[in-house]
Amino acid sequence: MAPPMAGSVLDLAPVVPVVVVEDAADAVPLARALLAGGLPAIEVTLRTPAALDAIRAIAAGVPEAVVGAGTVITPEQVSASVAAGARFLVSPGWTDVLLEAMRASGVPFLPGVSTASEVVALLERGVREMKFFPARAAGGTAFVKSLAGPLPQARFCPTGGIGPADAPEYLSLPNVGCVGGTWMLPPDAVAARDWARIEQLAREAAGLRDAGARCR
């Protein structure tokens, strides 16, 4: 069982790296590089056979990091992720069955939304923190900004197609706590195990909240 996490996932860092791990042996050095760069929250997506082993390795080997599981779409994945040590859960969308499983898991979760109706439905169910996905394809910053007026209770982690150029604009919005992205994990750097480069890119990403403040 994962240890409890104080506070909100949305407030841990301006950027949550979305990590696809092909080799579980890379998980610990990768997490250490991201953490050293100032990104403590790490979302490991359940898109590869190595994902749960990667979560397990990070939870045990880098306890200062806050490792979570992404692309969670079934109650079984909820249980397996928390058992592996995930301290938060992220889904690309939601159903009542999945929402019930995530709520029962005891760890924070960010169900995915892409429409105002989905946001309202989650607010009715007592959920105020959500993933906005796929952010760019679903309307980008203009859409998220438009939700702040009628639905100020909702806070978002936009993910999907976001890079260092537009992340500050998202982070300048009052209803955005953080963004998710992969740009600090270029495939060639991961393949080469160039952890120093990843640490530097993570450090640059960690400074984007200040850039977002300047956009306001």
Side-chain angles (χ1 to χ4, degrees), residues 124-154:
E124 284 183 350
R125 290 159 173 79
V127 178
R128 297 191 173 195
E129 298 187 343
M130 312 168 196
K131 171 180 176 174
F132 175 55
F133 175 83
R136 179 178 291 179
T141 54
F143 183 86
V144 181
K145 184 177 182 179
S146 72
L147 295 176
L151 302 170
Q153 316 95 308

Side-chain angles (χ1 to χ4, degrees), residues 54-158:
I55 291 170
R56 196 171 290 111
I58 294 170
V62 196
E64 315 96 296
V66 180
V67 64
T71 323
V72 177
I73 58 174
T74 68
E76 292 76 17
Q77 288 178 328
V78 169
S79 299
S81 297
V82 175
R87 296 173 65 185
F88 65 93
L89 305 168
V90 184
S91 67
W94 66 278
T95 66
D96 280 317
V97 171
L98 180 59
L99 191 66
E100 182 179 346
M102 290 194 293
R103 198 192 300 273
S105 71
V107 302
F109 55 91
L110 298 173
V113 296
S114 61
T115 69
S117 293
E118 290 172 314
V119 176
V120 171
L122 284 177
L123 290 173
E124 284 183 350
R125 290 159 173 79
V127 178
R128 297 191 173 195
E129 298 187 343
M130 312 168 196
K131 171 180 176 174
F132 175 55
F133 175 83
R136 179 178 291 179
T141 54
F143 183 86
V144 181
K145 184 177 182 179
S146 72
L147 295 176
L151 302 170
Q153 316 95 308
R155 295 181 73 213
F156 301 97
C157 173

